[in-house]
Amino acid sequence: MIEAQATARGIRTSAQKASLVCALIRGKGVNQALATLQFTPKIIARELAKVLRSAVANAQQKDGFSGDVERLYVASCFANQGTSMKRVRPAPMGRAFRVTKRTAHLTVQVAERPLKIARVAEETDATAKPARARKTAAESGAKKTARKAAAKA
């Protein structure tokens, strides 16, 4: 099973805002995740789409990759807090307010889903005891009326 990851460091957004968008694509297939990011109205979605495409490209370069991008899915996606730029904003009466401009590190990890192989029926399966059939409503209704008639008699 192939796994690959990509990281973008120092993206100008807070990690809290970025993790909201990360939660949207976690666990989805790569194509579905890219479609979700394309129509997400957050600015960080564009940056996250770049990182996802990079992770897919990294997976394609690995030895043992099957070549089928349809089997890739987003195994994990998270945003860690990066360095904060501290700035000073003038305030009334000669004071100063501190402004913190936050950054985030985006990490996307993609993995390949295991290939599902259909089970072939064997002779022992054909000779095995068949499953019990359920009674239809008409059959069960007929038995109830027969019981009621027997109880009255």
Side-chain angles (χ1 to χ4, degrees):
M1 190 164 89
I2 299 296
E3 289 187 0
Q5 77 172 21
T7 304
R9 297 172 57 85
I11 304 298
R12 275 287 292 123
T13 186
S14 68
Q16 186 176 6
K17 289 178 185 178
S19 55
L20 291 173
V21 181
C22 286
L24 292 175
I25 65 169
R26 200 174 294 126
K28 291 186 178 181
V30 168
N31 291 333
Q32 187 180 5
L34 284 170
T36 302
L37 290 173
Q38 184 179 357
F39 295 107
T40 301
K42 300 267 189 189
I43 302 285
I44 194 63
R46 284 187 226 133
E47 296 292 329
L48 205 54
K50 286 181 191 177
V51 178
L52 178 57
R53 283 190 196 98
S54 178
V56 170
N58 291 343
Q60 289 174 337
Q61 295 299 316
K62 289 207 170 190
D63 291 334
F65 180 64
S66 67
D68 189 12
V69 179
E70 298 291 324
R71 287 179 47 200
L72 290 176
Y73 72 102
V74 180
S76 68
C77 179
F78 53 90
N80 291 332
Q81 188 172 349
T83 58
S84 297
M85 296 185 288
K86 291 156 182 86
R87 300 291 181 261
V88 176
R89 184 175 149 247
M93 297 172 60
R95 293 193 205 98
F97 292 151
R98 180 170 252 179
V99 176
T100 309
K101 299 189 177 206
R102 300 184 184 278
T103 62
H105 303 319
L106 307 177
T107 304
V108 176
Q109 187 174 19
V110 294
E112 202 171 20
R113 290 192 196 277
L115 187 63
K116 292 183 181 176
I117 300 172
R119 199 179 111 206
V120 178
E122 298 176 11
E123 285 184 33
T124 57
D125 291 343
T127 59
K129 187 176 175 182
R132 288 180 48 179
R134 293 187 178 211
K135 297 176 188 172
T136 61
E139 290 174 353
S140 62
K143 285 188 177 182
K144 284 182 184 176
T145 54
R147 272 193 242 133
K148 285 182 183 177
K152 288 182 180 178

